[in-house]
Structure formats: C-alpha cells, structure tokens
Amino acid sequence: METLPAASEVGQNPKGKPKKLTRLPDCARIEKRPLLHPVISSPYSSAQNQKAVYISSKTPFISAVKRVRALLKQIEKRSTQSHTATKQRKAHSNGVTDIAAMAAVDEKDPEEVVLKATGKAIEKALNLGLFFQGQEDCKVRIRTGSVAAIDDIVPIGTHEQTGMDGVDDQARNEDSKNINEALPETRIRHTSVVEVAIILR
C-alpha cells in the first residue's frame, strides 16, 4: 500500500507527526472550511490530466459507480485510438522506430480514475474500491495519506447575564474580551485522505 506525503508540513513536530491541537476556551468555536482541490478534468481531456471523482458521505453509491464507468469508457477509447495510430505509423515506415514507440506506449503507466475521500467518506470510497475490485475488467490500488485543512476560530458573542456567584458582569465581559483578542483567527489541522485508483486490466 502506497502512502501519500502530507499536503503540508505546517503544524508538524520534528518527528513528522502533526502536533496535537490545543483545546479552545468556552468562548470560541470552530468553523471548518471546505477542502480545496483542483478543477475537475473533463472526461475527454488527455491522459496527462488526472481523472478524479471526489466522494462525500452523501454521494450515492450507484451514481459514483456510473461516473467511474463513464470515465473508464473514455480511457479505453483513448487507449484504443493510441494503439491504432501507432500501428498505422508502423505500416507506413520502416518498423524499427515504430516497434520502439509501441513498446513505450505499452510500458507507460496506465491511465486511472481516482476516487478521493476524507473523514467520514473514506468508508464509502473503500466500499467503491471493493466493488470495482470484484469486476473482471478492473484492478484497484489504494493510497493513503493526510492533508492539511484550515479551520476558522470564531469567538462566541458575550451576553450580559446576572452574576449568580457575585461576579460583576462588566469584569466578566472584560475578561472574555481579553481572551477573544488572544485567540488566533485560524488554525491548521490534519485529516486522513484515501485515494482509490481504478485501472482497466
């Protein structure tokens, strides 16, 4: 099983493991930002562009299977066209150069469709991988890693309350204000990511 490098080394200790995040005070909460990812490539784009399907916990299973199958169909079509063009070049020239070209085409890494998932969606991505592993025309590779995500730290608004314990409301609000000023605006956490690569046999 291959392991992907972390997308960012920020917030890691010298041993390479992410630092444990400190507990936030009661006057603050976390707002998670969506993870950034590249623009999804067109199914008709060249083999140089990775064909990715991003899986969430709400992605319908059958819908994901159909999307992967549509991408695999285009990959098979491109592969057939490439081999046909190579054979045509061989027929119109001296065979030595073209045999080498055909060997280069066969030896290069096969084009793959990659399912990407983080957090709760990892289980669904692995289930999709198991499904395609059971298909006669597919083989599956699993890659794991971690990715850095940015969370916003949002102060919780203070409301005047009657002090049951005799603490003055103004002093309490002043303490809360000082804590809010000391809070960072964002922090980085690391979350697990799984890539399920599906390749035609």
Side-chain angles (χ1 to χ4, degrees):
M1 183 178 293
E2 303 172 47
T3 302
L4 296 174
S8 173
E9 299 299 330
V10 179
Q12 293 191 352
N13 60 29
K15 294 182 179 180
K17 296 181 180 179
K19 293 180 180 178
K20 187 174 182 179
L21 299 176
T22 56
R23 182 182 178 86
L24 292 178
D26 294 336
C27 61
R29 62 183 174 84
I30 289 290
E31 280 190 1
K32 294 182 179 180
R33 295 186 191 180
L35 293 175
L36 299 178
H37 57 74
V39 178
I40 298 175
S41 302
S42 167
Y44 308 102
S45 60
S46 65
Q48 282 73 27
N49 299 321
Q50 187 184 65
K51 307 304 181 294
V53 178
Y54 292 91
I55 304 297
S56 72
S57 57
K58 296 180 181 179
T59 302
F61 189 91
I62 299 300
S63 174
V65 169
K66 289 181 178 179
R67 287 166 64 189
V68 172
R69 274 296 175 190
L71 291 170
L72 290 174
K73 184 178 180 180
Q74 293 301 323
I75 289 173
E76 184 178 21
K77 185 177 180 180
R78 275 192 297 276
S79 178
T80 302
Q81 290 173 346
S82 176
H83 282 285
T84 302
T86 304
K87 288 180 180 179
Q88 289 175 349
R89 286 197 301 270
K90 179 185 175 183
H92 291 85
S93 65
N94 56 11
V96 177
T97 304
D98 294 295
I99 290 173
M102 289 182 67
V105 170
D106 291 335
E107 289 176 2
K108 72 177 183 179
D109 292 335
E111 194 175 354
E112 58 188 23
V113 177
V114 182
L115 304 178
K116 297 187 178 185
T118 61
K120 296 178 181 179
I122 288 178
E123 182 180 359
K124 180 165 288 186
L126 293 176
N127 285 335
L128 285 163
L130 286 173
F131 172 81
F132 282 101
Q133 192 174 23
Q135 303 293 300
E136 294 182 355
D137 61 338
C138 296
K139 58 181 179 180
V140 175
R141 296 175 183 168
I142 305 294
R143 299 189 286 263
T144 61
S146 63
V147 64
I150 300 177
D151 294 335
D152 294 313
I153 299 177
V154 182
I156 299 175
T158 56
H159 302 282
E160 292 188 2
Q161 301 175 354
T162 55
M164 297 293 293
D165 53 358
V167 178
D168 183 68
D169 289 336
Q170 185 176 357
R172 180 182 301 171
N173 291 336
E174 187 67 26
D175 290 341
S176 179
K177 181 180 178 181
N178 292 336
I179 293 174
N180 289 342
E181 290 177 351
L183 285 174
E185 293 182 356
T186 60
R187 73 177 182 182
I188 295 176
R189 68 182 160 84
H190 288 78
T191 184
S192 298
V193 59
V194 162
E195 289 189 356
V196 180
I198 302 167
I199 306 164
L200 288 172
R201 294 185 184 275

